[in-house]
């Protein structure tokens, strides 16, 4: 008999007042009792609508049944068949618009907390499982993976398990891609990412950091000189967008990528760190996605008063509801239906050597209202006449999205891309070049961890089929 | 890890290191740069490639001790290793079709001008290498400069070596006495490049400058190195580091370069104190 409790077991959290001053993880995870109680809410529907909502088709009711029985390792093994990064996805997947959106329990009440259960199972495994992954017998084929984000790690892991000799090339000094430079510690502890990378190494995957493919080695050289039979490009979407409004190059204007990289990858938030970050009094983050929430919550933790400036209304915020809620709890102020037109700079007319010259002093905005739906289906924001106003502040972070880095495209002849830079790949991830595959944000533009992971899996399967012929 | 195979002190604050980095050496070209981290906690700093040896698999960097990271770097000796060394990054200098070029370097920037001058000289271009230093004690790489140029013109601010003149004056003298340049390449402090460009604009000589702004990743990801060039925002790491000097907004570049000045000064003092304590 299922547990008919109407609401999800709440996720234990760090108190908002406390967590706004530290970088430790916000959500603390279920206890075993909470997990088993939540698992008992699942109706084990025969037609499994939740699985249809999962981009990688995890056998959700099966793993939840194991949790309900208290067989957590059994549950992990079921998830692991389809997901390479459950501890990551349990934390950062938008379950509310995927598996949980389809949950029958969600029609009248809260859906089953599938994401919370996935996280519990993965954390339990990481803390308790002692078995080391077994390195399979080599099959004699070499594959190169470019980028060590979710797409690359997944593709590498799946191929390594089949005996391929896999080398992952990473441009930065640390593997993990957006999981280490982008998503903050308080949402995804870096030790979890490190563990995933360590597991790959145990499977025999080589991880070469400091390798900017396209500069120090090209795709063609990987194939012709280094003997890689296939290449998977999972180089992500790392190029930040700006608004092209006056004042964007003033001191104190960051792309969200730069701000987050300084904090997450370079640990600039720690006392005594070698990498500097501006400790601002008042910050505006422009944008409404998850990255904007991450940047705002980081700025808050560095001690600033923080505004989210977003041109549409709260209903259109692309960020996950949970992230918006967390940000609000931490005291982030939302200025929706507001659009910046200029970033204002400080200039001392009497002293050209004043060090504050060229720094941000404020942001000029206009109020917006929503008109007819545009091409994206969302109502188009229109400027309200005569609504201009200024906010005085000392830092602006642009979180307007990212596009794929053109480096690989510009150094690989015959690799077709979309106008906006995305690599063109078929449903198996195959590009216009023979035995060159691509997936994740490099193909789709900025999307989710789970979609990138799914693309990595699909490409691994296709590479295996192509090379084992 | 990347081993330091050679270290040479060029003047009291400027040193040269050859780093074992075969993957970088294989592709390095004049005008490109690397990013390094001294140790596991270190920040990422960009340094222009001063020379490279593809056979030996080494890349030469020349640095001036200006802050905490270069201070830490300077405490590394031959046989020690650097944590990270990535490159080559950025675009290479375009040297095709040039007949006569003035390469103008200031201070430690002269070290960056060297490989460009050498490449041009190797392909038969007439290279006037104009280098400026504050005084005689700071003059570096004179033999290398001489070998990489058709004529070498040295100036010092105080006249203690070479001519007592700024590089802009030396360049002006060359132009006034009839040197016909297809291009001027200016590499050094931003303020020097600004004034070289102001001069060459008067004579309508195309001028290329090498920008060295604050950077993190060096691959186009952070945008911290952005500059205004001809009214457009460019990323020095992927669009540069060399740009049309007549289009660069140098004042903005100077302001952005000073963004973390207070932090850097403080970190530098801390690093110096730390090393002093170790010596005791």
């Amino acid at each position: 008999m299922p547990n008919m409790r109407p609401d999800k077991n709440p996720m234990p959290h760090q108190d908002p007042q406390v967590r706004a001053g530290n970088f430790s993880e916000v959500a603390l995870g279920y206890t075993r009792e909470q997990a088993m109680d939540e698992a008992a809410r699942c109706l084990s529907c025969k037609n499994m609508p939740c699985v249809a909502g999962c981009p990688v088709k995890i056998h959700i009711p099966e793993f939840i049944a194991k949790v309900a029985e208290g067989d957590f390792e059994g549950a992990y093994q079921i998830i692991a068949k389809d997901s390479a990064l459950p501890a990551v996805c349990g934390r950062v997947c938008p379950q509310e618009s995927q598996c949980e959106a389809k949950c029958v329990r969600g029609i009248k009440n809260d859906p089953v907390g599938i994401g919370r259960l996935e996280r519990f199972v993965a954390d339990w495994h990481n803390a308790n499982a002692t078995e080391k992954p077994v390195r399979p017998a080599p099959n004699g084929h070499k594959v190169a993976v470019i980028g060590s984000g979710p797409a690359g790690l997944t593709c590498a892991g799946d191929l390594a398990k089949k005996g391929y000799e896999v080398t992952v090339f990473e441009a930065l000094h640390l593997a993990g891609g957006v999981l280490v430079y982008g998503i903050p510690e308080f949402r995804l502890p870096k030790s979890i990412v490190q563990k995933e990378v360590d597991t790959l190494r145990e499977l025999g995957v080589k991880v070469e950091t400091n390798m900017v493919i396209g500069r120090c080695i090209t795709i063609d050289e990987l194939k012709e000189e280094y003997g890689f039979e296939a290449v998977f490009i999972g180089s992500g979407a790392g190029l930040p967008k700006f608004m092209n409004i006056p004042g964007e190059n003033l001191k104190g204007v960051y792309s969200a990528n730069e701000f987050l990289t300084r904090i997450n990858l370079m640990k600039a938030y720690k006392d005594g760190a070698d990498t500097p970050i501006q400790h601002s009094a008042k910050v505006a983050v422009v944008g409404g996605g998850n990255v904007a929430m991450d940047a705002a919550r980081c700025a808050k933790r560095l001690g600033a008063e923080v505004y989210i400036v977003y041109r549409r209304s709260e209903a259109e915020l692309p960020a996950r509801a949970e992230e918006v809620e967390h940000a609000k709890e931490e005291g982030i102020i939302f200025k929706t239906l507001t659009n910046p037109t200029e970033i204002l700079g400080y200039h001392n007319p009497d002293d050209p050597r004043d060090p504050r010259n060229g720094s941000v002093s404020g942001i000029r905005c206009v109020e917006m209202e929503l008109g007819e739906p545009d091409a994206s289906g969302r109502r188009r924001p229109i400027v309200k006449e005569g609504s201009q106003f200024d906010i005085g502040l000392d830092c602006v972070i642009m979180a307007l999205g990212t596009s794929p880095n053109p480096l690989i495209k510009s150094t690989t002849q015959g690799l077709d891309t979309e106008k906006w830079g995305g690599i063109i790949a078929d449903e198996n991830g195959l590009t216009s070049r023979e035995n060159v595959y691509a997936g994740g944000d490099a193909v789709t533009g900025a999307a989710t961890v789970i979609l990138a992971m799914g693309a990595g899996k699909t490409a691994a399967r296709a590479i295996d089929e192509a090379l084992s012929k | 890890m990347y081993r330091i195979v050679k270290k040479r002190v060029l003047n009291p604050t400027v040193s040269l290191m050859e780093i074992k980095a075969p993957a970088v050496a294989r592709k390095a070209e004049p005008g490109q740069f690397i990013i390094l981290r001294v140790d596991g906690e270190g920040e990422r700093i960009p340094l222009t490639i001063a020379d490279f040896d593809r056979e030996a698999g080494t890349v030469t960097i020349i640095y001036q001790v200006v802050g905490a990271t270069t201070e830490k770097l300077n405490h590394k000796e031959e046989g020690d290793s650097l944590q990270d060394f990535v490159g080559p990054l950025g675009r290479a200098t375009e040297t095709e079709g040039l007949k006569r070029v003035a390469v103008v370097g200031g201070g430690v920037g002269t070290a960056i001008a060297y490989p460009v001058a050498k490449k041009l000289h190797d392909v038969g271009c007439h290279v006037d290498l104009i280098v400026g230093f504050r005084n005689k004690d700071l003059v570096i790489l004179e033999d290398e400069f001489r070998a990489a140029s058709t004529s070498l013109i040295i100036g010092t601010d105080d006249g203690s070596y070479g001519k007592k003149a700024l590089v802009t004056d030396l360049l002006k003298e060359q132009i006034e006495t009839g040197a016909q340049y297809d291009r001027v390449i200016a590499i050094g402090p931003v303020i020097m490049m600004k004034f070289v460009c102001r001069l060459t604009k008067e004579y309508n000589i195309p001028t290329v400058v090498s920008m060295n702004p604050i950077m993190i990743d060096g691959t186009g990801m952070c945008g911290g190195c952005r500059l205004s060039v001809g009214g457009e925002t460019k990323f020095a790491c992927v669009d540069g580091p060399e740009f049309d000097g007549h289009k660069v907004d140098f004042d903005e570049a100077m302001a952005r370069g000073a963004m973390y000045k207070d932090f850097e000064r403080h970190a530098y003092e801390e690093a110096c104190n730390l090393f002093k304590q170790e010596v005791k």
Side-chain angles (χ1 to χ4, degrees):
Chain A
M1 185 53 203
N3 170 2
M4 291 314 289
R5 170 183 176 152
D7 60 329
K8 277 187 202 178
N9 275 273
M11 178 62 117
H13 283 111
Q14 259 201 85
D15 181 80
Q17 303 271 308
V18 175
R19 73 185 193 230
N22 69 48
F23 276 82
S24 307
E25 193 168 17
V26 167
L28 303 171
Y30 278 167
T31 61
R32 94 190 251 130
E33 289 72 28
Q34 287 169 320
M36 289 173 72
D37 189 64
E38 184 63 27
R41 293 185 64 232
C42 175
L43 304 176
S44 299
C45 310
K46 285 271 178 303
N47 58 345
M48 303 184 290
C50 50
V51 178
C54 174
V56 298
K57 306 283 179 272
I58 292 174
H59 292 65
I60 294 166
E62 277 179 50
F63 99 74
I64 290 180
K66 291 283 184 194
V67 176
E69 289 166 20
D71 177 6
F72 306 134
E73 182 58 23
Y76 180 83
Q77 293 306 332
I78 291 168
I79 300 175
K81 278 193 265 178
D82 302 294
S83 169
L85 308 167
V88 175
C89 293
R91 286 172 166 80
V92 303
C93 250
Q95 292 101 6
E96 65 280 2
S97 59
Q98 300 179 353
C99 52
E100 293 182 19
K102 310 269 176 160
C103 177
V104 170
R105 291 294 306 264
I107 298 169
K108 283 194 175 159
N109 305 118
D110 277 359
V112 175
I114 300 170
R116 294 170 184 183
L117 289 172
E118 181 187 25
R119 170 186 161 152
F120 170 81
V121 167
D123 287 357
W124 189 92
H125 171 84
N126 283 346
N128 295 290
T130 46
E131 257 176 73
K132 292 271 172 208
V134 187
R135 199 181 286 209
N139 69 7
H141 294 291
K142 273 177 80 177
V143 178
V145 170
I146 300 162
S148 62
L153 292 180
T154 305
C155 186
D158 280 15
L159 288 169
K161 284 177 200 157
K162 292 194 167 115
Y164 287 86
E165 186 185 333
V166 183
T167 305
V168 177
F169 295 96
E170 166 57 46
L172 291 171
H173 58 261
L174 197 63
V178 72
L179 306 175
V180 297
Y181 76 72
I183 303 177
E185 178 78 18
F186 57 80
R187 213 149 71 76
L188 178 65
K190 299 310 144 216
S191 56
I192 290 172
V193 184
Q194 195 51 52
K195 194 160 170 78
E196 300 294 352
V197 176
D198 290 345
T199 306
L200 285 190
R201 286 209 172 96
E202 283 161 11
L203 280 169
V205 172
K206 273 188 243 158
V207 181
E208 298 238 25
T209 53
N210 296 327
M211 297 296 266
V212 183
I213 300 303
R215 283 274 187 247
C216 61
I217 308 175
T218 63
I219 303 268
D220 290 295
E221 287 166 340
L222 285 174
K223 291 175 78 182
E224 284 152 26
E225 293 175 32
Y226 291 75
F228 291 103
E229 293 156 80
V231 178
F232 174 75
I233 305 170
S235 51
L239 217 63
K241 288 179 189 156
F242 288 92
M243 290 185 81
N244 298 318
I245 56 173
E248 257 179 329
N249 292 350
L250 289 164
K251 283 188 283 183
V253 183
Y254 289 94
S255 72
N257 260 7
E258 180 184 0
F259 189 74
L260 291 171
T261 300
R262 283 178 182 274
I263 289 172
N264 300 323
L265 179 71
M266 306 310 297
K267 308 284 175 234
Y269 66 88
K270 290 189 176 167
D271 278 341
D274 283 357
T275 302
I277 185 113
Q278 183 175 319
H279 287 254
S280 311
K282 201 165 163 183
V283 176
V285 178
V286 182
N290 289 322
V291 173
M293 301 304 138
D294 285 345
R297 295 171 72 195
C298 283
K300 183 78 191 178
R301 282 160 172 74
L302 293 175
E305 179 183 335
V306 185
Y307 292 82
I308 290 271
V309 175
Y310 179 59
R311 65 195 181 121
R312 300 181 199 253
S313 77
E314 187 162 339
E316 284 86 20
L317 280 170
R320 295 181 63 193
E322 182 183 307
E323 301 306 325
V324 175
E325 192 185 316
H326 282 165
K328 282 185 174 169
E329 284 170 6
E330 289 165 16
I332 312 281
I333 302 155
F334 282 71
K335 288 239 170 242
T336 51
L337 290 168
T338 303
N339 202 29
T341 55
E342 183 179 352
I343 299 166
L344 309 169
Y346 181 85
H347 177 69
N348 182 345
D350 302 323
D351 182 4
R353 301 179 74 98
D354 187 332
R356 288 172 297 171
N357 285 343
S359 302
V360 173
S361 64
I363 189 166
R364 180 157 293 165
C365 300
V366 285
E367 288 176 25
M368 312 292 281
E369 53 197 354
L370 294 179
E372 296 299 309
D374 62 13
S376 74
R378 297 178 298 179
R379 292 174 64 194
R380 184 195 305 274
I382 328 170
V383 178
K384 256 195 222 172
E385 285 301 317
S387 64
Q388 180 173 300
F389 66 102
D390 295 347
I391 310 174
L393 41 76
D394 56 348
C395 178
V396 176
I397 300 168
M398 291 293 178
L400 306 157
T402 52
S403 52
N405 194 314
L407 196 53
I408 287 178
K409 178 205 159 188
S410 65
T411 54
T412 311
Q413 281 216 337
L415 184 71
D416 293 345
T417 58
E418 304 281 1
K419 257 199 195 123
W420 51 268
I423 298 171
I424 297 173
D426 71 10
E427 69 280 6
N428 292 318
L430 184 64
T431 68
S432 54
R433 288 286 310 267
E434 195 187 355
N435 286 339
V436 176
Y437 294 76
D441 287 1
V443 169
T444 58
T448 59
V449 170
I450 187 83
L451 281 172
M453 209 186 81
K457 285 192 97 63
T458 304
R461 207 178 301 129
I463 290 170
D464 180 44
E465 271 169 30
L467 296 190
S468 54
K469 258 181 208 160
Chain B
M1 301 289 272
Y2 303 80
R3 201 160 48 85
I4 301 164
V5 294
K6 188 173 160 191
K7 181 177 175 183
R8 191 174 130 203
V9 176
L10 300 181
N11 78 25
T13 63
V14 177
S15 293
L16 170 154
M17 279 181 182
E18 279 177 34
I19 311 291
K20 186 86 175 171
V24 186
R26 221 176 131 253
K27 284 290 181 72
E29 289 292 341
Q32 292 186 296
F33 66 96
I34 57 93
I35 283 186
L36 65 79
R37 286 203 315 154
V38 178
D39 54 41
E41 302 296 310
E43 66 173 331
R44 297 169 65 96
I45 59 161
L47 288 171
T48 308
I49 293 169
D51 207 349
F52 49 86
D53 183 334
R54 298 205 205 285
E55 246 106 84
T58 58
V59 173
T60 304
I61 51 169
I62 294 176
Y63 60 90
Q64 181 169 26
V65 177
V66 289
T69 297
T70 41
E71 175 74 20
K72 276 206 282 187
L73 178 63
N74 205 32
H75 279 261
K76 296 281 179 189
E77 302 299 336
E78 278 179 19
D80 291 345
S81 289
L82 303 180
Q83 180 76 29
D84 296 295
F85 195 86
V86 55
L89 300 167
R91 291 166 184 271
T93 309
E94 284 169 24
T95 51
E96 246 169 72
L98 298 173
K99 299 272 187 302
R100 186 168 184 182
V101 171
V103 179
V104 182
V108 71
T110 56
I112 303 159
Y114 166 68
V116 178
K118 185 175 151 192
K119 181 168 182 187
L120 286 164
H121 191 248
D122 285 351
V123 298
C125 176
H126 182 120
V127 178
D128 292 331
L129 184 52
I130 302 171
V131 293
F133 300 92
R134 286 210 311 279
N135 61 53
K136 181 173 190 269
D137 296 339
L138 301 179
V139 175
I140 57 170
L141 297 173
E142 190 177 344
D143 293 341
E144 283 86 346
F145 289 156
R146 209 168 290 285
S149 58
T150 317
S151 69
L152 174 67
I153 305 162
I154 301 180
T156 50
D157 295 1
D158 64 357
S160 54
Y161 196 69
K163 293 188 178 175
K164 182 179 189 303
L166 298 172
V167 288
T168 38
D169 301 329
L170 296 170
L171 176 62
K172 185 170 182 167
E173 196 181 317
Q174 285 294 112
I175 299 168
E176 292 284 322
T177 53
Q180 296 280 332
Y181 294 120
D182 316 322
R183 186 175 297 170
V184 170
I185 300 174
I187 304 174
V190 179
I191 188 86
M192 180 209 93
M193 296 193 281
K194 175 180 168 174
F195 283 104
V196 167
C197 290
R198 191 175 280 181
L199 175 76
T200 56
K201 181 109 194 177
E202 285 171 29
Y203 295 96
N204 226 353
I205 305 169
T207 302
V208 167
V209 294
S210 178
M211 304 301 287
N212 191 12
I214 295 170
M215 254 178 220
I216 306 180
D217 61 292
T219 64
M221 199 187 82
C222 81
C225 64
R226 63 194 188 277
L227 320 150
S228 295
V229 182
E232 275 180 69
T233 294
K234 296 278 181 192
F235 290 2
C237 65
V238 287
D239 301 320
E242 296 185 351
F243 293 101
D244 179 345
H246 293 152
K247 290 185 177 166
V248 171
D249 183 339
F250 290 107
D251 293 336
E252 181 188 276
M254 273 186 272
R256 288 187 64 79
M259 179 150 173
Y260 298 103
K261 224 172 178 177
D262 287 346
F263 178 95
E264 282 161 0
R265 192 182 307 119
H266 181 70
Y268 183 28
E269 283 162 9
E270 296 247 300
C272 291
N273 287 338
L274 209 65
F275 286 120
K276 270 184 215 150
Q277 280 168 14
E278 277 176 14
V279 171
K280 276 178 202 163

